Amino acid sequence: MADPDATTVPDFRRMPLAEAVRWLAENGEPEDPRPDIDTASLTRRFPRLAHVEIADLRIDGPRGRRVPARRYRDASAGASGRALVWVHGGAFIGGHLDMPESHWVALELASRGIPVLALDYVKCLGETHFPEPSDEVLAGWRHAVAHSQELFGVPASEILLGGASAGGNLTAGATARLRDGGEEVPAGLVLVYPVVHPNGPEASAVVDPDSPHGALSLNFVGSVAALADPHAFAALGPARGFPPTLVIVCEKDGLRPSGEAFARQLEEAGVEVTLHLELGADHGHINEPADPTALPTVEAIARWTRGTR
């Protein structure tokens, strides 16, 4: 999350997790104070985004909820023949469709001929835990598959799934759930600085629940026993049956070991995998369009998406 205005809201990165979760559950996520991440500002900075058409959707989800979603298409761009369902991060407690990691990334990919359906999902606040956010990602994915021509103009067999950080966790886990449930897996999987182990910094299943990352993982799944669920943390299960996968990790990211270990696991299982290291980048860099490492990551996603068959 971006730096909040300290005069109105707390800085969640410096708060104990339990306090941050309580504050967010009671008050909702504060507005991002950055003045240059709205569509008009992004288009002024990146004129190529001007022709992207945006449509907000609400998809029927589990438990009577509606899954917020947003479709991006650019009829003037050279069609790639592929589409992407994209899921933002936010430590499972924050994030939304307007954050650059969702909105700007989707605009950029659509402007390159890759239509995008960006998904939001319920956050792990209060009594909400896995599998609820995963269920909503799956609902969005199934909607995209069922309406592929209407949404994207491509067949369902050409839709990829991907996400960043917590979104990478959710999309990897959703892929495992699709595989294990006998459903078709995506045409490809895009994981940007993913966290697919309960202990991301050590790429391990051994968790200290009092550590910052251990506390986030425990808050995500809701119990110590659930930390071992391979659908919550895809690296704990078999990698066989995964589609071609792009894993992007960042040079300066403390969670880099999780993505690198999962890429090795996929390769050892015979999955076609590409590991891309973004030099100079840190975790969350594609949530800041002005970061010089952000656009190269988006371009790497676009190249891989267009080239993978």
Side-chain angles (χ1 to χ4, degrees):
M1 288 182 287
D3 287 328
D5 183 343
T7 64
T8 58
V9 297
D11 185 341
F12 299 109
R13 296 174 303 178
R14 293 179 172 83
M15 292 175 67
L17 179 62
E19 292 182 22
V21 167
R22 188 180 311 112
W23 195 97
L24 289 166
E26 293 174 355
N27 299 282
E29 189 162 359
E31 184 176 350
D32 193 312
R34 289 177 287 179
D36 58 352
I37 59 169
D38 60 285
T39 303
S41 297
L42 290 170
T43 301
R44 282 193 296 271
R45 187 187 304 174
F46 308 108
R48 61 182 168 272
L49 308 182
H51 299 294
V52 178
E53 298 177 355
I54 304 169
D56 285 314
L57 311 171
R58 293 246 173 207
I59 296 168
D60 289 333
R63 303 171 184 86
R65 288 196 291 254
R66 304 273 277 177
V67 179
R70 186 174 292 165
R71 196 273 312 275
Y72 299 77
R73 290 183 71 172
D74 184 345
S76 69
S80 68
R82 319 299 294 279
L84 175 68
V85 175
W86 178 250
V87 184
H88 66 78
F92 307 107
I93 63 173
H96 47 77
L97 293 178
D98 291 326
M99 67 189 293
E101 192 174 79
S102 181
H103 185 56
W104 175 65
V105 170
L107 284 168
E108 289 284 2
L109 293 174
S111 76
R112 290 163 169 78
I114 303 166
V116 176
L117 182 68
L119 300 177
D120 201 359
Y121 50 89
V122 66
K123 306 309 182 296
C124 294
L125 304 172
E127 298 304 313
T128 300
H129 305 287
F130 179 86
E132 293 183 53
S134 178
D135 289 344
E136 297 198 355
V137 169
L138 280 173
W141 168 257
R142 290 169 178 145
H143 179 88
V145 168
H147 301 276
S148 62
Q149 288 291 347
E150 172 191 348
L151 288 169
F152 309 123
V154 304
S157 59
E158 297 296 339
I159 307 176
L160 293 80
L161 180 62
S165 193
N169 169 291
L170 292 170
T171 52
T175 300
R177 293 179 70 184
L178 290 167
R179 176 201 61 194
D180 295 345
E183 297 181 65
E184 288 293 324
V185 299
L189 184 62
V190 177
L191 305 178
V192 180
Y193 40 77
V195 187
V196 288
H197 298 80
N199 182 339
E202 297 183 11
S204 169
V206 179
V207 181
D208 175 4
D210 294 324
S211 69
H213 189 78
L216 280 172
S217 293
L218 185 58
N219 180 70
F220 168 47
V221 297
S223 71
V224 172
L227 288 168
D229 189 333
H231 290 161
F233 297 99
L236 302 185
R240 56 167 177 73
F242 266 65
T245 300
L246 170 66
V247 180
I248 295 180
V249 296
C250 303
E251 181 183 19
K252 299 179 180 179
D253 184 7
L255 298 174
R256 173 179 165 184
S258 184
E260 291 180 328
F262 192 52
R264 290 193 298 272
Q265 184 178 346
L266 290 166
E267 185 176 31
E268 290 167 1
V271 175
E272 180 185 334
V273 60
T274 299
L275 178 63
H276 175 91
L277 172 63
E278 199 63 72
L279 296 174
D282 204 345
H283 195 87
H285 69 290
I286 59 171
N287 198 42
E288 179 45 75
D291 188 315
T293 65
L295 195 56
T297 292
V298 173
E299 291 170 342
I301 295 171
R303 286 194 304 271
W304 186 87
T305 298
R306 280 181 167 274
T308 301
R309 284 293 189 274

